[in-house]
Amino acid sequence: QMIEFWRNIYQKYGCAQINISGGEPFIYYDFVDLVLELLKFHRIEIITNLSLDIDYLIDKVDSLALEIVPSFHPLFADFGKFKQRAILLKENGFVRKISYLAWPPLISELNYYRDEFTKLGFNFFARPFFGIYNGKKYPDMYTDEEKIVILDSVIPSGDTPPPVEPIVTKGKLCRAG
C-alpha cells in the first residue's frame, strides 16, 4: 500500500523528497526493500543511528537518490564504530552531515563531538530535543546558553539553523502544502 501511495504521488506530481526519521528505521521488517522500491520514483533521506550495519546498501543504491544522516547518540553508540560506518558511507557519497540530539544532559559534550566530526570532513548539526526531561518541557526550557550552543553547532553548510524555540503550527500549512 505504501509503495502504491508513493507511486501515485510520483504519477501526479513527479519526484518528491521523502525524509524518514524517528526511531531506528532499519529495524523494521522489509524496510530496505521498501526503500529500494521507493527510490525508483523518489529521493530519500534517512536519519539512522547506524547501530545496524547498512554497508550493503552501497552496492545496491545510487548515492544521488539516497542520503543517510547518521544521528550520533553518545550514551548508546560506540564512537569508533559509528565513525567507521559514517566514514565508509561518506566515502561512497551517502553521508554529508552528522546530527546530534541536544538532549539536555548531553549539551555539554556537543562542541567536542562537533569538532571531532568536522575534523573528519562532516557537516554537523544539533537537533533540539522535543519532550520532557526532569519535569521540564523542551525546547521551551533550554537556557539562553544552551540555545547558543545548539545554534552554534551548525557548521556552515547552507542548512537552516535548528529551531530552539517552541514551534507553533496552529493555522499554518504543512510543508506538503
Side-chain angles (χ1 to χ4, degrees):
Q1 288 175 331
M2 192 172 294
I3 292 167
E4 188 59 33
F5 171 83
W6 285 106
R7 184 179 292 121
N8 287 337
I9 295 291
Y10 176 77
Q11 290 168 347
K12 288 181 181 181
Y13 307 106
C15 180
Q17 170 76 31
I18 302 171
N19 296 345
I20 301 171
S21 64
E24 177 48 48
F26 284 96
I27 64 171
Y28 292 101
Y29 180 76
D30 285 342
F31 179 72
V32 171
D33 293 334
L34 172 66
V35 168
L36 293 174
E37 198 61 34
L38 294 176
L39 284 169
K40 294 177 182 176
F41 310 106
H42 302 289
R43 292 180 40 79
I44 299 177
E45 175 188 272
I46 302 171
I47 296 179
T48 172
N49 62 25
L50 294 183
S51 60
L52 301 172
D53 183 2
I54 59 172
D55 301 348
Y56 57 87
L57 283 176
I58 291 171
D59 296 330
K60 292 184 174 189
V61 177
D62 179 354
S63 65
L64 295 175
L66 175 64
E67 180 178 0
I68 304 291
V69 180
S71 181
F72 183 63
H73 302 273
L75 291 179
F76 307 108
D78 176 278
F79 185 55
K81 284 182 187 176
F82 184 92
K83 251 188 344 187
Q84 265 185 314
R85 289 180 174 166
I87 289 169
L88 178 63
L89 291 166
K90 179 180 182 284
E91 288 171 347
N92 285 278
F94 292 96
V95 173
R96 292 189 305 274
K97 57 190 173 188
I98 302 285
S99 85
Y100 181 96
L101 182 62
W103 187 51
L106 297 180
I107 291 175
S108 64
E109 299 176 35
L110 197 154
N111 288 333
Y112 169 78
Y113 287 112
R114 178 201 60 208
D115 294 347
E116 290 298 307
F117 284 115
T118 55
K119 283 181 209 172
L120 297 169
F122 292 101
N123 290 330
F124 181 92
F125 69 100
R127 288 180 297 115
F129 172 68
F130 284 80
I132 306 293
Y133 175 74
N134 276 350
K136 297 177 182 176
K137 183 179 176 191
Y138 286 84
D140 306 38
M141 297 307 295
Y142 280 126
T143 65
D144 289 340
E145 293 81 18
E146 290 170 329
K147 290 176 187 178
I148 289 168
V149 171
I150 294 167
L151 290 170
D152 286 349
S153 76
V154 178
I155 298 301
S157 62
D159 286 334
T160 306
V164 291
E165 301 292 339
I167 298 172
V168 178
T169 58
K170 185 174 182 176
K172 294 182 181 177
L173 291 175
C174 68
R175 288 181 69 183

